[in-house]
Amino acid sequence: MALYLLAQRAHARRRRRVPQERVFKTRIQFLNMPEELVLQRYQLNPEMIRDLCHILERDLQPSTGRSHALPVYVKVTAALNFYTSGTFQTPAGDAAGISQASMSRCVAQVTAALVRRANIYICFPFSAQQRESTRQEFLAVAGFPHVLGAVGCTHVALKPPSDHENLYRNRQRYHSMNMQLVCNARGMITHVVAEFPGSMHDATILNQSSLKHIFASWQEERGWLLGDSAYSLKTWLMTPIENPQTPAEHHYNLVHRTTHAIITQTIAALKARFRCLSRSGGVLQYSPLKVCHIFVACCVLHNIAVARGIEACTEVGTQEPQGDDEVAKETVTAEAEQARLALLQDFFS
């Protein structure tokens, strides 16, 4: 009996022990960092990060009354750290002073909040005034008239799903999602298609996008996109002349190449800002849908940065191959040929 009572008292003492206080990692507030370091780490300046916290506050405000719930600025900077570093969750979480599980939740919440606002920040020039302004800005680049956007695709590497793995293998022989972008002359992204696996050809993505229907509604006015040889010539898509013969055709190709280069530069800037989209940052360990959402979120942030005049640090020689090298095999209509011939005669002869 005595031994039993001693055991009971020992058990009671163990139950009365005060739990150890949780230890939380030190968090570095971006407001306390030099602006140069903020730009280097997050690719955005402190003012823009503050504004971003305000814009996303309603979506990210903790719904719990817990004293240790993550504040909005921690969620935003943790997600930015992930987008810009190209590292995965553990090192990015360490840099933000939070755990891997918390990092994962931050990336998911911030990504969802940005995607919900994509239509606000990624806008095609639908109004007549916007279209005219876009035309004039492109005309000032090299003299190519009536341009409403430059189109191109880029691959974002991912770990493919085990089922249908072959659908995600692209022509560079790695697994990816093939993302289509349109930009204006200032490098602002105006249209995004983020849903197709890496094996899908650029021309097929364009044909299945809403752009064909958008331009069909503007048949009464001149206007087109510029695309490379991965696409077929259309009445609303001007491509390079395959074998130029005349001075006008050579001039057309030169001006086309100079103007279309803006989409290549835009994609390079996007991936330089957000290394999680670049193969140099590794392979995204997420589902295809989440990879697409991360891509759109980064496009939103890119446009905000461009609007604020924040330049991306792109190094010469580090650009990744973009889109398809294979020439499009679609049949070109007589109307498309006539549209380019009229363009050559009116502006390049």
Side-chain angles (χ1 to χ4, degrees):
M1 177 62 72
L3 289 175
Y4 174 75
L5 290 174
L6 287 172
Q8 287 288 86
R9 289 170 184 166
H11 179 67
R13 282 196 298 271
R14 285 197 297 270
R15 292 182 62 186
R16 286 196 299 268
R17 283 179 184 170
V18 178
Q20 290 185 347
E21 184 178 354
R22 292 177 65 191
V23 177
F24 293 88
K25 298 178 182 178
T26 302
R27 296 170 188 154
I28 302 173
Q29 292 196 36
F30 69 94
L31 293 172
N32 299 329
M33 298 166 58
E35 183 168 349
E36 295 77 11
L37 184 57
V38 174
L39 278 168
Q40 180 183 352
R41 177 175 291 184
Y42 303 117
Q43 293 294 310
L44 308 174
N45 61 28
E47 179 185 4
M48 182 175 162
I49 297 175
R50 280 195 301 268
D51 291 346
L52 191 61
C53 290
H54 178 70
I55 292 167
L56 304 182
E57 184 175 14
R58 182 173 296 179
D59 296 53
L60 303 180
Q61 192 69 41
S63 58
T64 175
R66 292 168 51 210
S67 60
H68 293 297
L70 294 178
V72 171
Y73 83 87
V74 171
K75 294 180 179 181
V76 169
T77 52
L80 288 175
N81 206 1
F82 171 73
Y83 298 148
T84 60
S85 68
T87 59
F88 297 124
Q89 292 180 344
T90 300
D94 288 344
I98 59 177
S99 67
Q100 179 176 348
S102 295
M103 182 70 193
S104 179
R105 287 191 292 271
C106 290
V107 172
Q109 290 176 20
V110 174
T111 298
L114 289 168
V115 170
R116 279 193 287 272
R117 290 161 176 79
N119 289 336
I120 300 173
Y121 295 99
I122 302 174
C123 305
F124 203 69
F126 283 109
S127 73
Q129 183 178 0
Q130 290 172 334
R131 292 198 295 276
E132 183 56 29
S133 175
T134 301
R135 288 188 183 95
Q136 293 302 319
E137 289 177 352
F138 270 115
L139 185 66
V141 173
F144 205 111
H146 304 300
V147 179
L148 294 176
V151 62
C153 286
T154 187
H155 290 273
V156 177
L158 84 165
K159 182 180 179 180
S162 56
D163 56 332
H164 308 299
E165 173 269 343
N166 60 308
L167 290 177
Y168 297 88
R169 186 177 293 278
N170 61 35
R171 286 165 181 78
Q172 283 82 46
R173 303 187 67 79
Y174 66 90
H175 299 100
S176 68
M177 298 297 294
N178 195 4
M179 313 294 198
Q180 178 182 282
L181 296 172
V182 177
C183 73
N184 64 18
R186 291 176 287 126
M188 295 275 285
I189 296 166
T190 59
H191 194 273
V192 178
V193 178
E195 60 181 288
F196 292 99
S199 64
M200 190 72 74
H201 195 284
D202 294 3
T204 304
I205 296 175
L206 180 63
N207 287 336
Q208 294 191 30
S209 75
S210 61
L211 291 168
K212 177 169 61 175
H213 305 291
I214 291 171
F215 279 92
S217 66
W218 298 337
Q219 289 181 346
E220 300 302 318
E221 61 178 274
R222 264 181 159 181
W224 36 64
L225 300 175
L226 297 187
D228 61 19
S229 57
Y231 303 99
S232 292
L233 179 70
K234 302 178 187 298
T235 56
W236 50 272
L237 177 69
M238 293 293 116
T239 60
I241 296 172
E242 189 172 349
N243 295 303
Q245 302 295 324
T246 67
E249 290 176 343
H250 282 285
H251 184 207
Y252 167 94
N253 271 7
L254 174 62
V255 174
H256 183 287
R257 182 168 61 251
T258 303
T259 309
H260 181 262
I262 296 173
I263 186 62
T264 304
Q265 296 160 6
T266 298
I267 291 171
L270 176 68
K271 289 191 169 184
R273 290 187 203 278
F274 307 111
R275 292 188 63 236
C276 69
L277 304 179
S278 170
R279 288 189 75 193
S280 65
V283 175
L284 286 172
Q285 305 291 311
Y286 292 107
S287 70
L289 179 61
K290 190 159 187 180
V291 169
C292 293
H293 287 172
I294 289 172
F295 183 81
V296 173
C298 290
C299 289
V300 170
L301 293 171
H302 168 87
N303 277 3
I304 295 174
V306 172
R308 299 290 184 95
I310 301 173
E311 296 185 1
C313 262
T314 53
E315 298 180 7
V316 178
T318 60
Q319 294 184 5
E320 300 176 15
Q322 306 298 336
D324 289 314
D325 298 326
E326 183 181 339
V327 177
K329 300 296 193 299
E330 295 179 73
T331 302
V332 176
T333 65
E335 291 83 359
E337 292 281 11
Q338 183 58 41
R340 188 164 65 183
L341 180 60
L343 177 62
L344 282 166
Q345 293 172 344
D346 292 348
F347 295 97
F348 295 97
S349 296

